[in-house]
Amino acid sequence: AQTIHQWPVAEIKAVGSPLSLGCTIKGKSSPNLYWYWQATGGTLQQLFYSITVGQVESVVQLNLSASRPKDDQFILSTEKLLLSHSGFYLCAWSAGLGGYEQYFGPGTRLTVL
Amino acid sequence: GDSVTQTEGLVTVTEGLPVKLNCTYQTTYLTIAFFWYVQYLNEAPQVLLKSSTDNKRTEHQGFHATLHKSSSSFHLQKSSAQLSDSALYYCALIYGNEKITFGAGTKLTIKP
């Protein structure tokens, strides 16, 4: 069975500080990977997706970047956090292209002060 | 642009009565797929239903939805609401090369 793990579970950071959030998927080779952001009380906003190692497509950047250093790993980062970065960050995977359902990880709650 | 509209932000239904959550969309893509996701409090979203076939009803856990391309809709329905159905529901459109757009979400509350 596939499992998706996100770290950290929660983070409190200062404005202007760097950030790195991680996601790993076990039990599935070559998954499609996705990053989402959800403001408190808001909808899900797709940020990035990756179909293969080393390749990341940006949907909405929000002054964030993403990388896929390994087949099973997806990283979301920024060098300078803004207050507007606060929210819930979700990583998801899917088995392929063309309408496969996406399976979400448990998420990381980020508070920027 | 491509968009998904969920007109009701909040829906309250009495237990045992029917539920209908509306979802309409706009897209220029021909190949599309739709999902309904459910998100329980402090949990990640999970797939409830999916469809990419016009006029075909899909069902899961008592919920059903039919994609109607003629009216650009994918409404979610259930004949008899249960207290455990209380959650956030998102309609989502997948189009292009793995791009996905979520609706604003509908918070469904089932009261006894």
Side-chain angles (χ1 to χ4, degrees), chain A residues 1 4 6 18 20 23 26 28 31 36 42-43 46 48 56 65-66 68-70 73 90 101 103 105 108 111:
Chain A
I4 179 168
Q6 285 187 245
S20 181
C23 171
K26 298 299 179 189
K28 175 65 186 166
Y36 290 86
T43 190
Q46 189 182 25
F48 300 94
V56 176
S65 60
R68 186 168 178 179
K70 300 180 192 177
Q73 196 173 80
L90 291 152
E101 48 256 62
Y103 299 94
T108 295
T111 303

Side-chain angles (χ1 to χ4, degrees), chain B residues 16-19 62 64 77-81:
Chain B
L17 293 184
V19 174
H64 63 91
Q77 299 183 69
K78 189 174 187 182
S79 58
S80 176

Side-chain angles (χ1 to χ4, degrees), chain B residues 11-22 36 38 40 48-49 57-66 74-87 89 108-110:
Chain B
V11 171
T12 302
V13 175
T14 302
E15 187 181 14
L17 293 184
V19 174
K20 183 179 180 183
L21 305 184
N22 292 316
W36 275 101
V38 57
Y40 299 104
L48 179 61
L49 286 174
R57 175 174 162 140
T58 58
E59 297 187 41
H60 186 61
Q61 295 181 349
F63 286 92
H64 63 91
T66 303
F74 190 54
H75 306 316
L76 181 69
Q77 299 183 69
K78 189 174 187 182
S79 58
S80 176
Q82 298 176 289
L83 292 174
S84 58
D85 294 331
S86 293
Y89 291 80
L108 176 64
T109 302
I110 309 300

Side-chain angles (χ1 to χ4, degrees), chain A residues 32 34 36 38 42-44 46 49 51 59 88 90 94 96-106 109, chain B residues 6 31 33 35 37 39 42-47 50 88 90 94 96-105:
Chain A
N32 290 350
Y34 310 82
Y36 290 86
Q38 186 178 36
T43 190
L44 294 151
Q46 189 182 25
Y49 67 90
I51 296 169
V59 179
F88 198 37
L90 291 152
S94 72
L97 298 174
Y100 283 81
E101 48 256 62
Q102 299 186 9
Y103 299 94
F104 287 84
R109 178 78 56 190
Chain B
Q6 292 181 249
T31 304
F35 292 85
Y37 281 85
Q39 186 176 23
N42 296 322
E43 293 185 13
Q46 53 189 287
V47 172
K50 70 171 279 191
L88 260 173
Y90 292 99
I94 290 186
N97 196 19
E98 288 308 287
K99 290 186 181 177
I100 182 167
T101 295
F102 284 83

Side-chain angles (χ1 to χ4, degrees), chain A residues 4 10 13 22-23 25 29 33 62 64 72 77-78 82 84 94-97 100-103 107-108 110:
Chain A
I4 179 168
K13 302 277 278 186
C23 171
I25 291 84
S29 63
L33 298 174
L62 300 181
L64 297 165
D72 63 352
S77 59
T78 183
L82 306 171
S84 57
S94 72
L97 298 174
Y100 283 81
E101 48 256 62
Q102 299 186 9
Y103 299 94
T108 295
L110 173 67

